[in-house]
Amino acid sequence: MIPEFRGIYVVSEDTHDCNGSLVLRRKKKMLQYPSADIISTVEFNNTGELLATGDKGGRVVIFQREQESKNQPHRRGEYNVYSTFQSHEPEFDYLKSLEIEEKINKIRWLPQQNAAYFLLSTNDKTVKLWKVSERDKRPEGYNLKDEEGRLRDPCTITSLRVPVLRPMDLMVEATPRRVFSNAHTYHINSISVNSDFETYMSADDLRINLWNLEITNRSFNIVDIKPTNMEELTEVITAAEFHPHHCNTFVYSSSKGTIRLCDMRSSALCDKHSKLFEEPEDPSNRSFFSEIISSISDVKFNHSGRYIMTRDYLTVKVWDLNMENRPIETYQVHDYLRSKLCSLYENDCIFDKFECVWNGSDSVIMTGSYNNFFRMFDRNTKRDVTLEASRENSKPRAILKPRKVCVGGKRRKDEISVDSLDFSKKILHTAWHPSENIIAVAATNNLYIFQDKVN
């Protein structure tokens, strides 16, 4: 069933210190914010203890979950800033006279193998592997350097010392371990870590590349849909993801609303798919906008790898890997917008790319909408709910109240008219804790974290 959520807190990415680092603080009201502060991706790590966000300014902010204490047991769900670093800088491609944005498109965590954490972050062209580690000791007692790091005069050295480690204040360091660049002609839209934890793939509009995490100067092209004549181009790749358990299997979606399942055992270049998932279009619903709204913006395997979830502009669909001709479940996210597609096309909102996520047990689906609304669908009871991420409705410990959109006729007191929706407030990026009912919702430059009221 869909849990009842209560607010934990809200953080606003709106100010920077003198070093350009991000400062997170609570604000009562915010009228303006720089575009660089808009959150562009949200991702929990495999345990849920860490939560990473990336923004349009190329920064990555990592939150760490508060440890439970006997004095304040309710603080267990809270996430505090753990580390902040600049992942990408703006670049310029002089050969193509093209500016490369620093915006973080995706973040993917690697499973933790030791005390350090590793994550992949990407902008339009370059993927970076970051190591995030803690340091609480510093070496002292060098022979050739003094305590301030200056070289000592060899003539003054009369005895040899053994350096020792002294305790110091905890410091979290983020260092780039690998930089994977110069492999994509078009903008990267997806990265996915393989279940073998040795390789990952990066997908752009026309190609998908396979990388080894240890090798930065070479990648293998596994999908290439670029036609010989670009005038014959009919579709682009919109998202891609590896199977959670089978390292040879992956899926990618297209702007035509199709999903292709590929097996790397069949051939080195997976231009020929193993399965094609596509729902026949109802001729009665055909319109000028049909192809635009059928474009898939996100694709996700469930935790077992048996089902695929896809998000297009108006719906979320669940597909069974054993049935290609139609989805087994279809959920209407905001069908009341169907009559407003013309105005949404004029203000470019129809091209917004919404993401979708599973909960830890794959029983509930979450995805975003407009007016800072986000939707949840219970797959078992078929119940759905609309919730709002806003400062007014997200006071700490307050239960989120369901919202309803009135399409026509008389509007009730607690309903909002479809004509009153604010299309500049949109929730594109969401994340669900891998095992608990804790969700993170990015609304422009605000990160909202909600927790099951039972916790």
Side-chain angles (χ1 to χ4, degrees):
M1 61 177 290
I2 299 175
E4 285 188 299
F5 286 94
R6 56 182 172 84
I8 299 179
Y9 54 82
V10 187
V11 290
S12 303
E13 302 193 10
D14 55 1
T15 56
H16 299 81
D17 64 13
C18 57
N19 297 320
S21 299
L22 191 64
V23 178
L24 294 155
R25 62 187 179 89
R26 303 177 189 180
K27 288 187 68 178
K28 292 183 179 178
K29 190 174 182 181
M30 186 163 46
L31 299 177
Q32 293 181 341
Y33 49 86
S35 62
D37 292 338
I38 296 175
I39 299 172
S40 54
T41 185
V42 184
E43 188 78 8
F44 279 103
N45 75 335
N46 299 60
T47 62
E49 293 301 305
L50 297 181
L51 171 66
T53 66
D55 63 25
K56 285 192 172 183
R59 298 178 296 264
V60 172
V61 182
I62 301 175
F63 300 87
Q64 185 179 46
R65 193 175 186 186
E66 187 81 23
Q67 295 301 313
E68 188 173 6
S69 65
K70 294 181 180 179
N71 298 332
Q72 296 176 308
H74 66 277
R75 290 182 60 87
R76 168 64 180 148
E78 293 194 5
Y79 284 79
N80 296 318
V81 178
Y82 179 63
S83 176
T84 302
F85 59 93
Q86 187 74 30
S87 174
H88 288 71
E89 301 280 357
E91 299 176 46
F92 190 81
D93 188 333
Y94 292 96
L95 291 175
K96 298 179 180 178
S97 296
L98 188 69
E99 287 187 19
I100 302 172
E101 280 187 316
E102 64 270 37
K103 172 193 167 191
I104 307 297
N105 292 339
K106 294 290 179 185
I107 291 175
R108 290 291 180 265
W109 290 92
L110 274 67
Q112 189 176 4
Q113 307 290 344
N114 49 40
Y117 301 97
F118 289 87
L119 63 85
L120 290 167
S121 64
T122 183
N123 66 350
D124 287 341
K125 299 290 184 181
T126 305
V127 184
K128 294 184 180 181
L129 173 64
W130 289 89
K131 176 184 179 182
V132 182
S133 57
E134 297 179 355
R135 193 169 66 172
D136 59 359
K137 292 183 175 62
R138 68 172 183 270
E140 289 183 1
Y142 286 109
N143 289 289
L144 300 178
K145 295 180 181 178
D146 60 21
E147 301 305 326
E148 296 179 359
R150 295 190 296 258
L151 289 174
R152 298 171 61 187
D153 184 356
C155 299
T156 63
I157 301 175
T158 57
S159 62
L160 291 177
R161 295 185 293 177
V162 178
V164 294
L165 293 174
R166 302 288 187 195
M168 60 176 280
D169 292 337
L170 179 66
M171 185 169 66
V172 181
E173 296 177 317
T175 53
R177 298 305 301 270
R178 305 278 188 276
V179 178
F180 307 89
S181 57
N182 304 321
H184 285 278
T185 307
Y186 308 96
H187 291 178
I188 298 173
N189 54 48
S190 302
I191 51 175
S192 179
V193 180
N194 201 345
S195 59
D196 61 11
F197 306 137
E198 293 182 1
T199 57
Y200 77 93
M201 68 177 173
S202 56
D204 65 24
D205 295 335
L206 298 179
R207 296 188 180 100
I208 300 177
N209 293 334
L210 180 68
W211 300 82
N212 188 296
L213 286 165
E214 300 294 329
I215 301 171
T216 60
N217 61 354
R218 187 171 67 252
S219 64
F220 297 94
N221 181 231
I222 53 177
V223 173
D224 188 348
I225 66 169
K226 182 181 178 182
T228 307
N229 182 2
M230 284 295 282
E231 293 181 358
E232 299 173 1
L233 182 66
T234 58
E235 63 180 336
V236 295
I237 298 169
T238 56
E241 185 172 73
F242 268 119
H243 191 281
H245 306 298
H246 302 315
C247 61
N248 53 279
T249 308
F250 68 93
V251 295
Y252 69 92
S253 59
S254 82
S255 57
K256 275 193 168 181
T258 60
I259 309 106
R260 291 174 172 85
L261 180 74
C262 300
D263 190 338
M264 291 190 289
R265 295 173 299 183
S266 59
S267 63
L269 189 63
C270 300
D271 284 351
K272 293 183 178 179
H273 49 266
S274 302
K275 290 188 176 184
L276 175 67
F277 301 87
E278 184 176 18
E279 185 176 22
E281 186 182 10
D282 185 355
S284 62
N285 291 333
R286 179 73 184 171
S287 71
F288 171 78
F289 306 106
S290 295
E291 193 168 324
I292 301 174
I293 64 175
S294 66
S295 176
I296 294 174
S297 56
D298 197 16
V299 59
K300 295 274 175 62
F301 275 106
N302 75 326
H303 293 82
S304 69
R306 170 68 186 272
Y307 302 102
I308 304 171
M309 172 171 58
T310 61
R311 170 70 204 262
D312 57 39
Y313 190 68
L314 294 177
T315 65
V316 171
K317 297 173 181 175
V318 177
W319 302 77
D320 190 325
L321 286 186
N322 297 332
M323 190 167 72
E324 304 170 49
N325 59 343
R326 60 185 176 87
I328 58 171
E329 300 165 25
T330 300
Y331 302 98
Q332 300 294 333
V333 179
H334 38 217
D335 199 50
Y336 47 79
L337 296 181
R338 196 175 290 274
S339 61
K340 299 200 170 291
L341 292 178
C342 188
S343 58
L344 291 166
Y345 177 78
E346 290 175 355
N347 62 18
D348 284 344
C349 284
I350 200 170
F351 301 105
D352 287 334
K353 300 182 185 303
F354 293 94
E355 297 176 1
C356 52
V357 292
W358 304 89
N359 73 335
S361 62
D362 298 330
S363 61
V364 180
I365 290 168
M366 177 172 64
T367 190
S369 182
Y370 293 105
N371 206 68
N372 278 1
F373 289 168
F374 58 99
R375 302 268 286 143
M376 289 187 179
F377 304 95
D378 189 317
R379 298 180 60 207
N380 298 322
T381 64
K382 304 305 177 187
R383 176 174 166 262
D384 65 271
V385 66
T386 302
L387 302 173
E388 182 181 5
S390 69
R391 294 178 177 277
E392 291 75 17
N393 299 337
S394 305
K395 296 176 182 178
R397 315 284 153 210
I399 302 296
L400 287 186
K401 295 180 180 178
R403 301 300 304 271
K404 289 186 178 181
V405 177
C406 174
V407 179
K410 192 173 181 180
R411 183 172 64 90
R412 295 181 181 176
K413 183 180 178 181
D414 58 341
E415 293 181 337
I416 181 171
S417 170
V418 66
D419 297 316
S420 303
L421 296 177
D422 188 345
F423 293 106
S424 65
K425 295 179 180 179
K426 59 192 79 172
I427 292 178
L428 304 178
H429 315 286
T430 57
W432 200 309
H433 190 286
S435 58
E436 298 181 34
N437 286 326
I438 297 176
I439 58 175
V441 176
T444 56
N445 65 321
N446 296 323
L447 177 68
Y448 296 86
I449 300 177
F450 303 106
Q451 180 179 3
D452 187 351
K453 74 169 187 176
V454 176
N455 286 346

